[in-house]
Amino acid sequence: MEGKNVLVTGGAGFIGSHICERLLKNKNTVFCVDNLVTGTKDNVKLFLKDPNFTFIEQDVSKHPIEIDHKIDYIFHLASPASPVDYQKYPIETMMVNSIGTLNVLNFAKKKGATLLFSSTSEVYGDPQKHPQSEDYWGNVNTMGPRSCYDESKRFAEALTFSYHQLYGIDVKIARIFNTYGPRMRANDGRAIPNFVSQSLAGRPVTVYGDGKQTRSFCYISDMVNGLITLIESKYSGEPFNIGNPDERKIVKVAEMVQEITETKSKIVFKPLPKDDPAKRRPDIKKSLSKLRWEPKIGFSDGLKLTIDYFRNELV
Ligand code: UDP
């Protein structure tokens, strides 16, 4: 993508700021909207001086978007996304994915823009099918600690699909699986930032449950490639899994972090949170065959890059 006008909602978040960075590098004009509830201006401070970057502090669920320029593409990434964050802000999470998505869809309709909605592997809930392919409908609790996120993302997929059907808007739905890398918040509560910051600080490394639950982690640069490839593709109104199928037990991830950081910290086992999915791995056959996208960065390389970032951040 080059020379385009692009809106990134949630552009001051972890994935959003990396999307902004890539777009600016490739000579696009970027409008970043964020209410900074979980994102931070630190993530975009490097771009604030760039004449092709505009930062707009706004909650897309409270006000319709108004930008007086032609807009070609929209990455709609605004939403709390880590379990700790969305459990702290359940209503904001549901509002940004419902009313916020409605506002962004209306803006896309007005501008004739292509919109990518950031959905999630959480639409599959605690999956009974493994690995998860896009045709699996999921196993989601409507009333649990994750329901504010899971159900509002499912609603947003349905709303996005309806706008596509009714108004012919070009929409892309990315089901984003666990992603990691620089600019994650040390305190966002997720496994990798927790394990890395605990190990570097010499604090106990907290593994929940017996640590045998699995996740499959995608490095941020692979995620950015996947999302940009999807938004530029011809496929409209259908979901694509974007993630890395390299599945690992959480306790093994903690051990790898301990090893790379050479920490003396010991693992401590804490209770498993309610509704914590037992297994998660994307089936990416569809993304591979239709988008010709697959992740490239191996887990230990990605972990080393992430650990280096946290080492510098935490001093
Ligand atoms: N987890 C853990 N220790 C932590 C944070 C998370 O064992 O300090 C576990 C968590 O219970 C889950 C997995 O790691 O099984 C991934 O959690 P995360 O919050 O990163 O994302 P999720 O995939 O659950 O949304």
Side-chain angles (χ1 to χ4, degrees):
M1 187 181 299
E2 227 183 277
K4 302 289 183 196
N5 290 351
V6 189
L7 166 65
V8 184
T9 76
F14 163 49
I15 297 181
S17 67
H18 283 276
I19 293 273
C20 291
E21 186 173 8
R22 179 72 65 84
L23 293 172
L24 289 169
K25 200 170 145 212
N26 292 341
K27 309 215 167 1
N28 298 286
T29 301
V30 177
F31 299 88
C32 164
V33 173
D34 204 300
N35 68 349
L36 304 177
V37 68
T38 57
T40 133
K41 247 191 163 169
D42 266 2
N43 283 342
V44 293
K45 66 174 183 248
L46 290 176
F47 326 138
L48 290 173
K49 283 193 218 111
D50 191 324
N52 293 321
F53 183 77
T54 306
F55 180 76
I56 304 162
E57 189 172 335
Q58 189 192 313
D59 183 339
V60 294
S61 65
K62 297 222 170 101
H63 308 280
I65 299 164
E66 283 169 26
I67 298 172
D68 245 1
H69 284 83
K70 175 174 173 280
I71 296 288
D72 304 297
Y73 290 101
I74 301 168
F75 288 89
H76 177 32
L77 305 173
S79 171
S82 102
V84 166
D85 286 341
Y86 59 69
Q87 285 163 36
K88 189 168 164 200
Y89 301 109
I91 307 300
E92 288 85 345
T93 301
M94 286 187 279
M95 287 301 114
V96 74
N97 284 310
S98 55
I99 307 297
T101 301
L102 183 77
N103 283 337
V104 178
L105 281 164
N106 281 327
F107 183 71
K109 181 167 166 257
K110 189 166 118 191
K111 296 285 181 180
T114 295
L115 175 139
L116 179 143
F117 173 64
S118 58
S119 187
T120 167
S121 52
E122 285 286 333
V123 300
Y124 302 124
D126 189 5
Q128 287 169 336
K129 180 176 178 211
H130 195 73
Q132 295 78 54
S133 51
E134 291 86 346
D135 55 6
Y136 177 51
W137 289 356
N139 176 39
V140 175
N141 182 359
T142 60
M143 278 184 258
R146 291 179 180 247
S147 57
C148 61
Y149 186 67
D150 301 11
E151 291 295 1
S152 65
K153 288 288 187 187
R154 289 172 67 96
F155 172 87
E157 281 200 9
L159 186 66
T160 303
F161 180 70
S162 298
Y163 261 64
H164 169 68
Q165 295 257 297
L166 261 182
Y167 304 118
I169 297 178
D170 187 14
V171 298
K172 321 293 181 186
I173 294 168
R175 291 188 179 150
I176 297 175
F177 282 65
N178 295 69
T179 304
Y180 70 105
R183 294 199 201 123
M184 294 186 95
R185 278 184 6 248
N187 64 349
D188 89 351
R190 288 186 175 107
I192 290 183
N194 272 6
F195 297 162
V196 173
S197 50
Q198 291 162 343
S199 297
L200 292 176
R203 285 184 279 119
V205 176
T206 54
V207 170
Y208 303 155
D210 60 9
K212 289 191 182 138
Q213 70 273 29
T214 67
R215 294 293 186 274
S216 310
F217 293 96
C218 182
Y219 190 65
I220 184 65
S221 57
D222 285 328
M223 179 56 58
V224 168
N225 290 340
L227 297 177
I228 292 179
T229 305
L230 175 57
I231 207 170
E232 289 191 303
S233 77
K234 62 181 182 195
Y235 302 103
S236 206
E238 51 177 310
F240 283 85
N241 286 341
I242 308 289
N244 191 322
D246 179 4
E247 181 182 6
R248 290 168 189 262
K249 288 194 175 76
I250 287 299
V251 67
K252 295 285 172 203
V253 174
E255 286 166 9
M256 262 181 92
V257 172
Q258 285 181 302
E259 210 178 295
I260 300 171
T261 54
E262 298 177 341
T263 185
K264 293 197 172 68
S265 297
K266 299 271 178 293
I267 289 180
V268 292
F269 290 90
K270 300 264 186 188
L272 186 69
K274 186 172 179 295
D275 293 353
D276 199 286
K279 282 180 172 188
R280 184 181 291 152
R281 167 154 60 107
D283 178 333
I284 60 162
K285 278 198 238 30
K286 182 175 170 186
S287 293
L288 186 56
S289 67
K290 291 191 163 176
L291 306 176
R292 306 213 177 286
W293 170 85
E294 66 180 323
K296 302 270 188 257
I297 308 288
F299 191 53
S300 71
D301 289 342
L303 262 189
K304 282 179 196 145
L305 292 166
T306 308
I307 289 167
D308 284 348
Y309 167 82
F310 277 102
R311 242 190 248 285
N312 292 327
E313 277 302 290
L314 296 173
V315 285

